[in-house]
Amino acid sequence: KAGVTQTPRYLIKTRGQQVTLSCSPISGHRSVSWYQQTPGQGLQFLFEYFSETQRNKGNFPGRFSGRQFSNSRSEMNVSTLELGDSALYLCASSLGTGGGSPLHFGNGTRLTVT
Amino acid sequence: GEDVEQSLFLSVREGDSSVINCTYTDSSSTYLYWYKQEPGAGLQLLTYIFSNMDMKQDQRLTVLLNKKDKHLSLRIADTQTGDSAIYFCAETAMFSGGYNKLIFGAGTRLAVHP
């Protein structure tokens, strides 16, 4: 079974631009979560989607948004990019939303904002 | 509040056992996880334990949970150079409607030397 696929692997953008990252979950998984990983803040929860609905959201500004499609694929968007948005963005999928449904992560998209 | 703490670095000799420790704060956490991250990659799920268990063994991996002290450990038997990576401990966080938000520790960098 294919794992979680994230595209693109690398992105370089300039301040003020916007970016869209894509995530294809493991087949059959209906929940998709997004995390930001930086050296300073570590792994921080962005949001979670289940059946096309955002169920939970982390403490990030409104510039960070996402959506989930009917095939469970998800995208996240960051508008008006800032230098501090440079990070590894990780997508994870799981069967359900309970704690007993472990998250399976993709290899991430590394975003560099210059 | 929610917080997960880990020591930042561990160095072991090849063939020895490694023990990575973690403390967490949320006593309502139902599941606790261990993930591994190699350079340039995402997070690989190693194992997880339900909070009503004390121990879980999976091949070379042994997880011990002391719920009273909120202490979790991961023991890797016969550590190999391929085990060199960053290991993250994570707890599930209570979230209205679901539990799929994970709180991660800062990660323990395991270095295996001959």
Side-chain angles (χ1 to χ4, degrees):
Chain A
K1 195 184 256 189
V4 178
T5 305
Q6 291 189 247
T7 55
R9 284 298 311 274
Y10 302 94
L11 267 177
I12 300 175
K13 293 284 188 179
T14 56
R15 276 179 297 175
Q17 287 187 311
Q18 76 164 17
V19 67
T20 299
L21 313 181
S22 181
C23 172
S24 293
I26 291 171
S27 178
H29 285 193
R30 297 172 62 193
S31 172
V32 173
S33 303
W34 289 88
Y35 287 78
Q36 181 197 65
Q37 185 178 28
T38 60
Q41 298 298 314
L43 283 150
Q44 306 249 297
F45 172 78
L46 279 157
F47 26 66
E48 180 204 357
Y49 288 86
F50 183 80
S51 294
E52 302 178 66
T53 302
Q54 185 181 90
R55 293 178 64 94
N56 299 304
K57 191 176 192 309
N59 189 25
F60 278 81
R63 300 184 297 106
F64 291 81
S65 63
R67 58 178 175 168
Q68 186 181 33
F69 302 94
S70 58
N71 61 359
S72 294
R73 192 177 69 83
S74 177
E75 288 181 347
M76 69 163 279
N77 185 74
V78 188
S79 62
T80 320
L81 284 165
E82 300 176 1
L83 294 178
D85 297 334
S86 294
L88 180 66
Y89 289 88
L90 293 163
C91 169
S93 73
S94 62
L95 275 171
T97 62
S101 294
L103 301 188
H104 298 268
F105 284 83
N107 283 326
T109 294
R110 182 163 297 281
L111 172 65
T112 303
V113 182
T114 62
Chain B
E2 308 150 344
D3 194 21
V4 177
E5 293 191 358
Q6 302 177 240
S7 53
L8 294 182
F9 189 74
L10 177 66
S11 178
V12 299
R13 191 181 303 275
E14 192 175 12
D16 287 351
S17 292
S18 308
V19 179
I20 302 171
N21 295 302
C22 166
T23 57
Y24 60 97
T25 55
D26 190 346
S27 57
S28 63
S29 285
T30 51
Y31 289 89
L32 296 135
Y33 297 85
W34 284 104
Y35 284 88
K36 174 184 179 183
Q37 186 175 37
E38 297 181 77
L43 273 64
Q44 174 194 349
L45 176 66
L46 288 177
T47 187
Y48 62 102
I49 188 168
F50 186 51
S51 58
N52 70 352
M53 297 169 66
D54 298 325
M55 186 183 87
K56 181 178 180 181
Q57 188 155 1
D58 185 0
Q59 298 182 345
R60 292 191 299 123
L61 305 178
T62 303
V63 178
L64 294 178
L65 174 60
N66 181 328
K67 198 174 178 185
K68 174 177 165 288
D69 294 337
K70 296 178 191 159
H71 183 266
L72 184 73
S73 68
L74 174 69
R75 178 177 179 270
I76 306 172
D78 187 24
T79 312
Q80 303 297 308
T81 54
D83 295 323
S84 294
I86 301 176
Y87 291 79
F88 290 93
C89 167
E91 63 170 344
T92 47
M94 289 293 290
F95 227 156
S96 59
Y99 299 86
N100 235 21
K101 174 184 172 183
L102 294 184
I103 305 296
F104 286 89
T108 299
R109 184 178 295 274
L110 174 64
V112 183
H113 56 88

